[in-house]
Amino acid sequence: SSAYQVLGEAEGASSSFTLLGIFNVTPGLDPERAVDQAIRSLGGDNLIECVYYSETRVYIVGVVNVVRVRGKVIRYLQ
């Protein structure tokens, strides 16, 4: 359907941590999970006008990778 209602702006994130840059401690980055999180936050059906960015933070004990997604959440009209 091409008819939809904009519910508002939302953001989602996914992260992973690697101990000493070698051993995975948490599951890997999942951009799809970040998109789903943003959509669910407003109870919509899809995300449009998306922008994403990733960042890496290096600590003494390991590395944290984060991907963030921001966009407009929509609900399709029937």
Side-chain angles (χ1 to χ4, degrees), residues 50-77:
C50 303
V51 176
Y52 81 93
Y53 64 94
S54 63
E55 59 186 85
T56 301
R57 296 181 185 172
V58 179
Y59 299 97
I60 294 172
V61 295
V63 177
V64 176
N65 293 301
V66 180
V67 62
R68 296 187 190 278
V69 176
R70 185 180 314 139
K72 293 181 181 178
V73 177
I74 64 168
R75 178 180 295 138
Y76 294 113
L77 302 175

Side-chain angles (χ1 to χ4, degrees), residues 10-15 29-53 67-74:
E11 184 174 314
S14 174
S15 63
L29 286 179
D30 188 0
E32 187 174 328
R33 184 174 50 190
V35 170
D36 288 342
Q37 183 183 49
I39 293 169
R40 278 186 282 121
S41 71
L42 294 178
D45 296 321
N46 217 334
L47 196 64
I48 61 171
E49 299 179 18
C50 303
V51 176
Y52 81 93
Y53 64 94
V67 62
R68 296 187 190 278
V69 176
R70 185 180 314 139
K72 293 181 181 178
V73 177
I74 64 168

Side-chain angles (χ1 to χ4, degrees), residues 11-25:
E11 184 174 314
S14 174
S15 63
S16 68
F17 176 70
T18 307
L19 185 64
L20 302 175
I22 301 171
F23 305 105
N24 290 332
V25 176

